[in-house]
Amino acid sequence: MPTCPTNTINDLLYKNTSWRIGLVVTAGCTLIACILSFKLLLNHWRNFNQPKIQIPQTRLIFMVPIYAIGSAITYYSPDLSVYMTLLTSCYEAFLIWNFFTLLTLYVSEVETELKAKLAQMERQRLPIFRCIEVSPGHPIFLAYCKAGVIQLVVVRLLLTVISLFAEWFGKFCESSSSPQFFHIYYQVFTTISLLIAMYALLTFYQTVHHEIKRAGTFSQFLAVKLAIFVQLLITIVVQLFVKTGKIVGNDIVTTNQYAILVTSVLICKEMLIVAIFHWWAFSATPFVITGSNTDTVKSFKSSLNFSD
């Protein structure tokens, strides 16, 4: 029976010059990204004049600090990689649901009106599968899109709980692709679930993008899509480099730890770029009312009220 390699950190790692340079880069990117994101969030909370729209927007902006800080922690302590990955994975599902909610609100803030507008739309071909036509006005269309997105939240939460138990009992093993460990199943099911959710999101966006006619909507869609897929691409490419021997361990770090360090640095850099992009995609300017500011603390609590 295969055994999971130990993930114990060699104390020599913290004395290594290359690691220290990477720490400076990681910490710097994380700090700047968080400052930019919290400044943007503060702009929203001070001008929380359309809470229904701004609540999902602020939750999407929160993605940057969560991902960046999680990656920075992982860089400093690769042994915490499993827990940080599971945390960000859950939030990724949550933010995709919030973006879907945001798109529905752009069409109409009342669900009956949303369904009425969908009913007026012509039949369309599905993305990628162009041979299949659907009617946006059919009751199952909206239900399909909702189910396609919300299943990601359910699957991620369920897999996270199972993965935590597997990790505690030594059966997760992030560094192994053996079917003897749960990590390979976690990767397969989360990837399939993510693709289903993103396809449902793309289908709905393609349907309503003409109806929305809102400046910046495409940039918001692009921000969410790129942030998720670039991160997924980084993970896949790094793992490919591990498989092909281009990333190998040494006397200080194992191959898996080296891969974790590289991935963490790249994600922190990505989050800095995303934080800059968010200032354009999720600007608070459209919500500003000259001479009128909202209660920042109350707005902050509304963003974090997940009862919806």
Side-chain angles (χ1 to χ4, degrees):
M1 178 180 293
T3 57
C4 185
T6 180
N7 205 27
T8 305
I9 306 299
N10 189 329
D11 291 337
L12 293 175
L13 174 66
Y14 301 111
K15 300 177 182 178
N16 183 271
T17 303
S18 296
W19 180 85
R20 289 182 174 181
I21 293 172
L23 180 63
V24 172
V25 173
T26 301
C29 289
T30 299
L31 180 61
I32 297 172
C34 287
I35 290 173
L36 289 172
S37 294
F38 283 120
K39 175 62 176 174
L40 180 56
L41 286 167
L42 190 59
N43 289 347
H44 274 277
W45 291 330
R46 285 175 175 170
N47 300 279
F48 222 58
N49 295 305
Q50 296 185 44
K52 281 191 175 181
I53 299 293
Q54 289 176 275
I55 285 175
Q57 283 199 9
T58 51
R59 291 172 179 175
L60 291 166
I61 297 169
F62 256 119
M63 169 184 65
V64 170
I66 289 175
Y67 276 64
I69 293 173
S71 295
I73 291 173
T74 300
Y75 183 86
Y76 188 79
S77 298
D79 53 327
L80 297 177
S81 173
V82 172
Y83 303 105
M84 294 299 104
T85 298
L86 294 176
L87 171 65
T88 55
S89 177
C90 282
Y91 195 80
E92 179 181 80
F94 178 64
L95 73 88
I96 291 175
W97 170 253
N98 272 275
F99 186 65
F100 175 79
T101 301
L102 185 63
L103 290 181
T104 62
L105 291 171
Y106 283 159
V107 179
S108 176
E109 296 184 12
V110 181
E111 185 161 343
T112 53
E113 292 182 5
L114 168 64
K115 292 179 178 179
K117 289 184 178 181
L118 289 174
Q120 295 173 3
M121 297 179 185
E122 297 179 355
R123 292 177 63 84
Q124 64 172 22
R125 297 182 183 276
L126 287 176
I128 303 175
F129 305 105
R130 306 298 294 174
C131 58
I132 302 176
E133 284 191 355
V134 294
S135 173
H138 196 286
I140 200 174
F141 177 79
L142 183 59
Y144 152 77
C145 291
K146 283 185 176 181
V149 177
I150 199 65
Q151 60 80 28
L152 180 63
V153 179
V154 177
V155 170
R156 287 287 174 88
L157 287 174
L158 180 61
L159 288 177
T160 294
V161 173
I162 296 174
S163 297
L164 286 173
F165 277 105
E167 175 67 13
W168 292 334
F169 288 102
K171 296 297 182 180
F172 187 75
C173 198
E174 188 180 24
S175 60
S176 175
S177 297
S178 170
Q180 300 278 352
F181 299 105
F182 188 70
H183 179 244
I184 183 64
Y185 304 107
Y186 173 82
Q187 284 189 314
V188 170
F189 288 122
T190 54
T191 301
I192 293 173
S193 180
L194 176 62
L195 290 174
I196 292 172
M198 296 303 280
Y199 185 79
L201 186 64
L202 176 61
T203 301
F204 187 77
Y205 177 79
Q206 174 185 275
T207 303
V208 303
H209 76 280
H210 289 302
E211 176 67 29
I212 291 173
K213 295 180 181 178
R214 181 186 177 94
T217 304
F218 178 73
S219 63
Q220 293 172 4
F221 182 76
L222 197 62
V224 174
K225 280 277 192 179
L226 288 180
I228 292 172
F229 275 115
V230 169
Q231 181 172 275
L232 180 62
L233 182 62
I234 288 172
T235 303
I236 292 174
V237 170
V238 170
Q239 289 302 316
L240 183 62
F241 281 178
V242 169
K243 296 292 184 183
T244 56
K246 293 183 179 180
I247 290 181
V248 293
N250 50 43
D251 295 336
I252 300 177
V253 293
T254 64
T255 299
N256 181 54
Q257 289 172 343
Y258 194 9
I260 290 172
L261 294 175
V262 172
T263 302
S264 298
V265 172
L266 292 176
I267 290 178
C268 284
K269 290 181 177 179
E270 179 204 358
M271 286 303 108
L272 175 56
I273 296 172
V274 172
I276 296 171
F277 190 64
H278 276 180
W279 273 80
W280 172 46
F282 297 105
S283 173
T285 303
F287 308 105
V288 174
I289 298 177
T290 306
S292 175
N293 287 337
T294 53
D295 187 328
T296 304
V297 175
K298 185 178 179 181
S299 302
F300 168 74
K301 289 180 178 178
S302 297
S303 291
L304 297 185
N305 181 4
F306 302 134
S307 61
D308 58 319

